[in-house]
Amino acid sequence: MSFLQELHKPDILDCISHLSSDEVFTPPRVVNEMLDTLPQELFKSPDTKFLDPCSKSGVFLREIAKRLIDGLADKIPDLEKRLDHIFKNQLFGLAITELTALLSRRSVYCSKDASGEYSVVHFDNPEGNIEYKKTYHLWLKDKCMMCGASKSEYDRGEELETHAYSFIHTDEQRNSALFKRLKEMKFDVIIGNPPYQLNDGGGTGSSATPLYHLFVEQAKKLNPRYITMIIPARWYAGGKGLDNFRSSMLSSRHIKKIVDYANSADCFPGVIIAGGICYFLWDKNYNGDCEIVNMKKDIIISNDIRPLQEYPLFVRDNTAVRIIRKVRSFEEKTMDSLVFSRNCFNLFSNETGHKEHNKGDYVLYSLKGKSYISPVKVIDRDKIGAKYKVIITKAMSGGNKPSSDGSYQVVSSLNLLGPNEVCTETYLCLAVFDNQEEAINLKKYVATKFFRFFLLQALSSINISKEKFCFIPVQDFQEEWTDEKLYKKYGLTQEEIDFIESMIRPME
């Protein structure tokens, strides 16, 4: 039995990868798929340097080590010397907590103490090249100026983890020694699975600010040859504080490949991340369109090379893009020009109204159902209270999670409000009409799989907002619309129709 076959059997890191939906551990299979996107000659060079700036289980460095051990066999025939060179000169990590530092060293060096007798190679210090340094947030009033964490949540005592990750809490002005050292090391590859978010103290306490984009941006500042990271896919079309990141990613010509999992459980078994997951390869010397690979389970269902900036929002599915192109060739106005901004009547979600109808009351639709409200409590911002209104719940049906067959309903509820009927901010008003028949025809249009398919293409989280209707063409609402009529109008092929039908469930 070879040295590699003796290591890590059974693979405990496969088990660990199933345990968390917060700081998600990456399965070895996915790590190797990411490593396959890199030029394989990197693993045959004794000069290639790798950095995992967010090491949790050590799986990235461990799998890289395996490839280097094989790849350098000819250049460094002596196994002991080869191991010593690889672990001391080519593999580096920054752990995100003290516990994950120990776990990473155990995975990579076979010992949590890299200077101990059981370590695969002997270092002069217990950390080896996988270091953890307790780092502190840099508070500006109630937020960390580096990562946006809430001071009330993370200004903790010495005995607790700060979750101030060292890699993103350093630049040329702040904690500059680490940043300078990392930049001078001239890494060829920066790879990892960064923490995804931290509580920011907003809302009812469950609000969170994303972190993963900060790791990507920091990695670029170190000027490596390649970056490959696995991150939530919600940056495609939404996400708090991600507008600049999305713009930067979509305008980049250095992103050579994106592998997309619409269902995060296909990538991380048992872990649900709204909007799915993706990993990408950024290549400093590449300048071109991006290869987009759509995955379902562990099967490639579509593969295409296309520009990332074709639309303001990134459409993840290659087949969907081809359908969008066909429909947009009609050059029709789109529904985002009709949809109203949130909270048309300045009535917040907890507004319930009263049960008894008084003369002159408006009908109120809220989370609690139908009730009544005095007109003096309604601010009719857009002067639409006297019109017929089509509304939907602004939270996506099922929380942006597909059913077991991979299909979506998209729209949770769909209602037609008459004159003097209003709703809370739980709902989004799609359009208004003086004529009830036109409103009914829009409601029937929203219920079509065609409409909800195009809405789905712009969604990457549970929130539905005005700009998410940018792919849906406006119809003549003096007519009634069905899927069959729409498929015929736009000349969709049977394959395209089957694709839409398979993705969208009938309205309940």
Side-chain angles (χ1 to χ4, degrees):
M1 184 177 287
S2 72
F3 173 81
L4 294 182
Q5 289 173 321
E6 290 175 7
L7 287 178
H8 307 285
K9 279 197 153 189
D11 197 338
I12 188 63
L13 300 191
D14 256 330
C15 303
I16 290 173
S17 69
H18 300 183
L19 297 180
S20 171
S21 58
D22 178 15
E23 292 168 349
V24 182
F25 291 79
T26 318
R29 172 186 63 81
V30 177
V31 171
N32 279 291
E33 290 173 4
M34 294 172 67
L35 293 176
D36 287 343
T37 68
L38 291 165
Q40 295 305 293
E41 58 265 24
L42 291 168
F43 304 103
K44 298 178 181 179
S45 170
D47 300 319
T48 310
K49 287 184 181 178
F50 298 85
L51 172 67
D52 179 355
C54 38
S55 187
K56 295 189 281 289
S57 68
V59 65
F60 284 95
L61 296 178
R62 191 194 76 178
E63 297 304 310
I64 293 168
K66 289 181 180 180
R67 295 191 180 213
L68 290 170
I69 291 167
D70 281 343
L72 296 179
D74 291 338
K75 289 187 172 66
I76 312 176
D78 184 275
L79 178 59
E80 188 174 338
K81 290 180 180 178
R82 199 185 326 149
L83 294 175
D84 196 70
H85 175 83
I86 290 168
F87 288 120
K88 291 184 177 179
N89 300 293
Q90 296 190 263
L91 301 179
F92 302 86
L94 296 173
I96 62 171
T97 66
E98 188 170 7
L99 178 61
T100 59
L102 297 173
L103 178 58
S104 295
R105 291 181 206 124
R106 177 64 180 83
S107 299
V108 178
Y109 305 136
C110 299
S111 172
K112 65 182 182 181
D113 181 353
S115 63
E117 62 176 309
Y118 299 111
S119 179
V120 172
V121 295
H122 181 81
F123 285 84
D124 293 332
N125 63 84
E127 289 190 334
N129 283 337
I130 303 174
E131 65 179 64
Y132 169 72
K133 295 288 189 291
K134 189 159 188 174
T135 307
Y136 296 91
H137 294 283
L138 298 171
W139 304 118
L140 181 62
K141 296 184 178 178
D142 60 344
K143 300 287 183 186
C144 174
M145 68 174 69
M146 304 296 280
C147 73
S150 166
K151 186 174 183 179
S152 63
E153 294 286 332
Y154 295 102
D155 190 10
R156 300 166 158 184
E158 287 292 321
E159 71 281 1
L160 296 175
E161 291 284 356
T162 65
H163 295 285
Y165 306 115
S166 60
F167 187 67
I168 59 172
H169 283 77
T170 181
D171 59 21
E172 292 174 338
Q173 286 79 42
R174 290 153 289 206
N175 297 333
S176 58
L178 175 60
F179 182 82
K180 182 180 179 183
R181 176 161 61 89
L182 292 174
K183 197 164 186 178
E184 288 176 348
M185 292 181 75
K186 301 186 186 308
F187 293 105
D188 297 283
V189 179
I190 299 180
I191 184 171
N193 179 4
Y196 294 161
Q197 62 187 32
L198 278 182
N199 192 306
D200 61 13
T204 59
S206 61
S207 176
T209 189
L211 290 179
Y212 57 90
H213 64 299
L214 301 179
F215 282 82
V216 177
E217 291 168 345
Q218 184 77 317
K220 290 179 182 178
K221 292 176 185 177
L222 299 184
N223 196 31
R225 291 164 61 192
Y226 303 97
I227 301 169
T228 178
M229 290 191 180
I230 186 163
I231 59 177
R234 63 178 68 101
W235 67 267
Y236 294 165
K240 183 187 298 185
L242 292 174
D243 288 348
N244 290 338
F245 177 70
R246 175 168 52 257
S247 177
S248 172
M249 291 287 278
L250 296 185
S251 62
S252 174
R253 302 284 288 173
H254 299 299
I255 300 179
K256 191 172 184 178
K257 187 171 187 175
I258 293 177
V259 178
D260 175 76
Y261 291 85
N263 184 355
S264 61
D266 289 345
C267 183
F268 300 134
V271 177
I272 300 299
I273 297 168
I277 207 81
C278 71
Y279 61 83
F280 66 89
L281 175 65
W282 180 94
D283 180 341
K284 181 172 69 172
N285 297 317
Y286 179 74
N287 184 4
D289 290 342
C290 183
E291 179 185 1
I292 309 297
V293 181
N294 300 136
M295 302 292 295
K296 190 170 185 179
K297 303 293 183 182
D298 56 353
I299 299 170
I300 296 174
I301 59 172
S302 180
N303 191 313
D304 199 5
I305 296 176
R306 52 187 171 96
L308 290 175
Q309 210 171 16
E310 186 169 1
Y311 304 112
L313 307 175
F314 177 66
V315 181
R316 71 194 318 161
D317 193 281
N318 294 317
T319 305
V321 168
R322 291 191 285 272
I323 298 173
I324 288 171
R325 288 170 182 162
K326 181 176 285 190
V327 171
R328 284 175 72 92
S329 70
F330 281 65
E331 297 183 347
E332 296 170 309
K333 187 164 70 171
T334 50
M335 282 296 301
D336 57 320
S337 64
L338 301 184
V339 175
F340 290 84
S341 298
R342 62 182 289 274
N343 206 2
C344 291
F345 303 106
N346 199 42
L347 297 169
F348 296 98
S349 296
N350 57 359
E351 184 68 57
T352 56
H354 45 265
K355 294 181 180 179
E356 299 297 324
H357 179 264
N358 300 316
K359 185 178 180 180
D361 276 354
Y362 284 178
V363 176
L364 172 67
Y365 288 83
S366 71
L367 280 173
K368 297 287 182 69
K370 185 177 174 180
S371 61
Y372 302 95
I373 190 170
S374 169
V376 299
K377 297 184 71 175
V378 177
I379 299 176
D380 190 359
R381 181 187 67 208
D382 301 300
K383 305 294 186 288
I384 61 175
K387 298 181 181 292
Y388 293 94
K389 302 161 283 286
V390 178
I391 64 170
I392 64 170
T393 312
K394 69 180 180 68
M396 183 178 172
S397 175
N400 202 14
K401 300 170 188 174
S403 63
S404 58
D405 65 357
S407 65
Y408 299 82
Q409 182 173 305
V410 187
V411 174
S412 293
S413 67
L414 172 60
N415 293 288
L416 172 59
L417 306 188
N420 299 330
E421 295 184 339
V422 297
C423 59
T424 67
E425 65 170 342
T426 299
Y427 300 91
L428 195 63
C429 182
L430 302 190
V432 300
F433 302 90
D434 295 318
N435 182 295
Q436 185 180 24
E437 183 179 355
E438 289 182 273
I440 291 171
N441 286 337
L442 170 58
K443 184 181 177 184
K444 290 179 178 178
Y445 181 42
V446 176
T448 65
K449 292 185 177 183
F450 178 94
F451 183 102
R452 290 177 289 127
F453 169 80
F454 281 93
L455 177 56
L456 178 65
Q457 304 318 308
L459 297 176
S460 61
S461 70
I462 67 170
N463 297 309
I464 303 175
S465 54
K466 176 182 173 68
E467 66 274 10
K468 306 304 183 188
F469 295 80
C470 61
F471 297 127
I472 307 169
V474 173
Q475 306 300 332
D476 178 357
F477 295 117
Q478 293 182 17
E479 297 183 39
E480 182 178 334
W481 292 96
T482 64
D483 278 314
E484 292 73 19
K485 190 174 177 180
L486 290 160
Y487 296 154
K488 183 176 180 180
K489 173 183 175 179
Y490 294 104
L492 300 191
T493 66
Q494 190 59 51
E495 181 184 1
E496 291 165 341
I497 293 170
D498 291 344
F499 181 74
I500 293 174
E501 294 280 329
S502 69
M503 286 196 67
I504 308 298
R505 297 197 301 274
M507 282 290 294
E508 295 175 356

